[in-house]
Amino acid sequence: MPKTDAGATRRILLVEDHPVERAYLQNMLLALGYRRVAGLGSSTEAIGALSRQFYDVVVSDIVMGEGDGTRLPNELRRLVDAGRLKSMPPIIWISSLSDELLQSHVRLALQAGCPSAQALSKPVSRAAMQHAIKAALRSVDEYDAASPRPNAVRRDVMEVALGHALITGKGMSVVLQPQMSLSTGRVLAAEALSRWEHPELGVISAADFVPAAHRLGLDRMLFSRVTDRVIELLRRMHAEDIAVPIAINASASTLCTRDLPGLLEQRVGQAGLPARLVKVELTEDEPVTDWLALSSVLNLLRVRGFELAMDDFGAGIASMRLFSAMPFTELKIDRDFIVHMHREPASRAVVAAAIEMGRVLGRRVVAEGVEHDRDIQLLRELGCDVAQGYGISMPLEPDAFIEFCRSH
């Protein structure tokens, strides 16, 4: 049994849709000495909770009535990539499925990037749960030891500083990840990634401050600050006759405001820039709650000349509906499919289908997370011409990005 004080510091998220089983497992974890146990009834709720609060371990059922547990690994990966989650937590699956299916889900979690994954057959014994939790926490400690991070900043201190930084713009900057044509080697566009350096707290990871902005309701203000930096950079590039569009990430809630298209058009116009150089990239890190409002804003942005990209295509359950119903000009294939397309026929099939869909509909298709020459070769074979990732270029500071554009 863990020491009470150690158990009191660990946060465990329990995802089980059956209320009686959920209560039973919560009581079991409490009896084992873990005092911070949150119980939720679906993976949809779990993803929302994880975007607001870090948990050391996730214990999840697989088959649930609402929000199938199978979604969790990819959704967690997406939260990490979007900067809304610091790191992937270990997953302990609990289910009455066959051992073959349980082990398949273990592989799924590991492939997504979880530091460890285990599977327990229902009914779960207290001894099995105790062993699994200890192994999961050990994997987290080993991962942290192997990947030292800067000293953690107190959340409340960071949140106060973030509000001030977003109001004043001080310390806020962007880096640019280029998107390149695989056939010509030319830079076609870039994605702006936000950065924050505080004079006393130092460099604060986007994995910390982006979720904080979401918790504090400052998403729109963060979007505004990134827009300021992007427009400033585009003005410099425009003066040098470098016409490379730059994408700005925005959540559905950020976009679901009627005044955004007009304000964005005004700011771009005042800078003397054509709207086509600013691309709005919809992230799927939160569910769409008002489809009509989102559709209205996206259509207005397109009418005003802005390009629209859909991030992480295929990762979320709403991907197909979003892409078919909204006026996107570009879809970006989720990096998880790119990473696994060489050894998983299903991932390769998704990539091929997305490329063909883009071709038929006349939309640009961008492969994210391209890291190796073999990725580039296979994407060429499948007919995808645009890619971004460390195999193309790491994110670049503005000056370095301009130089990169000059040479490509």
Side-chain angles (χ1 to χ4, degrees):
M1 181 180 296
K3 296 179 181 179
T4 302
D5 58 347
T9 64
R10 302 290 198 170
R11 294 183 181 274
I12 298 176
L13 183 61
L14 173 65
V15 190
E16 166 61 67
D17 65 335
H18 196 288
V20 175
E21 289 194 40
R22 186 165 67 245
Y24 168 76
L25 291 167
Q26 281 184 284
N27 288 332
M28 177 189 291
L29 290 166
L30 288 170
L32 288 171
Y34 298 101
R35 301 298 181 221
R36 296 184 174 185
V37 181
L40 297 175
S42 73
S43 63
T44 302
E45 294 176 322
I47 293 160
L50 285 157
S51 69
R52 297 185 297 271
Q53 172 67 60
F54 179 77
Y55 288 88
D56 296 280
V57 181
V58 175
V59 180
S60 177
D61 193 1
I62 295 174
V63 180
M64 293 181 280
E66 180 186 348
D68 198 347
T70 301
R71 295 179 52 210
L72 266 175
N74 280 349
E75 294 290 346
L76 292 174
R77 176 76 265 163
R78 193 160 54 82
L79 288 176
V80 171
D81 291 343
R84 302 181 80 99
L85 183 65
K86 182 185 296 185
S87 60
M88 295 279 285
I91 291 181
I92 301 172
W93 297 114
I94 50 172
S95 179
S96 54
L97 293 173
S98 67
D99 185 62
E100 178 185 0
L101 284 173
L102 287 175
Q103 293 310 310
S104 177
H105 280 78
V106 167
R107 290 192 297 272
L108 173 66
L110 292 174
Q111 288 167 354
C114 291
S116 74
Q118 304 166 73
L120 303 178
S121 295
K122 289 183 177 181
V124 180
S125 70
R126 178 168 168 165
M129 180 65 80
Q130 179 181 1
H131 177 78
I133 293 287
K134 284 186 174 181
L137 292 174
R138 187 163 57 248
S139 74
V140 172
D141 294 339
E142 290 172 354
Y143 178 81
D144 287 344
S147 306
R149 298 181 180 87
N151 293 332
V153 178
R154 272 183 54 192
R155 186 168 118 172
D156 56 346
V157 173
M158 185 264 289
E159 289 182 349
V160 171
L162 176 61
H164 179 72
L166 290 175
I167 291 171
T168 63
K170 293 181 179 178
M172 306 301 299
S173 63
V174 298
V175 292
L176 296 308
Q177 186 158 54
Q179 296 174 358
M180 183 175 285
S181 166
L182 300 182
S183 58
T184 67
R186 292 182 57 204
V187 178
L188 300 179
E191 178 181 357
L193 305 172
S194 57
R195 296 292 185 263
W196 177 30
E197 183 171 3
H198 189 272
E200 296 174 1
L201 302 177
V203 176
I204 299 178
S205 168
D208 290 321
F209 75 79
V210 172
H214 181 66
R215 286 194 304 270
L216 297 170
L218 299 175
D219 303 68
R220 175 70 181 268
M221 195 175 290
L222 177 59
F223 175 82
S224 180
R225 286 302 170 197
V226 174
T227 300
D228 287 343
R229 300 295 178 259
V230 167
I231 289 177
E232 179 183 335
L233 175 59
L234 284 171
R235 288 182 66 178
R236 290 178 56 193
M237 295 168 61
H238 192 60
E240 297 189 34
D241 202 27
I242 301 174
V244 175
I246 297 178
I248 305 170
N249 289 303
S251 64
S253 61
T254 299
L255 291 175
C256 285
T257 49
R258 294 181 181 179
D259 64 337
L260 187 139
L263 289 174
L264 190 58
E265 181 183 43
Q266 182 182 34
R267 293 170 73 179
V268 171
Q270 287 173 345
L273 299 169
R276 60 180 174 80
L277 291 181
V278 176
K279 187 185 305 179
V280 177
E281 186 168 317
L282 174 65
T283 61
E284 224 185 328
D285 48 6
E286 64 179 30
V288 178
T289 57
D290 191 335
W291 286 80
L292 181 58
L294 179 62
S295 179
S296 297
V297 169
L298 293 182
N299 276 286
L300 274 172
L301 287 168
R302 286 290 293 120
V303 167
R304 294 172 190 269
F306 296 97
E307 298 288 302
L308 299 176
M310 195 182 94
D311 196 20
D312 296 334
F313 181 82
I317 58 174
S319 286
M320 192 64 72
R321 182 183 177 191
L322 270 170
F323 189 67
S324 61
M326 306 294 178
F328 292 104
T329 55
E330 173 181 297
L331 71 82
K332 302 179 73 175
I333 306 172
D334 181 67
R335 69 178 300 280
D336 189 61
F337 296 111
I338 303 300
V339 169
H340 298 124
M341 65 181 176
H342 300 279
R343 62 178 182 272
E344 294 182 0
S347 291
R348 179 168 175 164
V350 170
V351 173
I355 294 168
E356 177 63 12
M357 183 186 304
R359 185 191 68 79
V360 171
L361 297 177
R363 316 277 177 85
R364 175 181 289 169
V365 177
V366 180
E368 295 187 282
V370 174
E371 297 181 356
H372 306 287
D373 288 341
R374 64 174 186 170
D375 298 335
I376 294 173
Q377 180 59 38
L378 182 52
L379 287 168
R380 283 175 175 155
E381 293 174 8
L382 293 173
C384 181
D385 185 55
V386 188
Q388 72 177 72
Y390 279 72
I392 303 296
S393 170
M394 65 183 293
L396 302 171
E397 297 290 339
D399 289 342
F401 175 69
I402 291 176
E403 185 58 39
F404 190 81
C405 289
R406 289 196 191 107
S407 61
H408 294 82

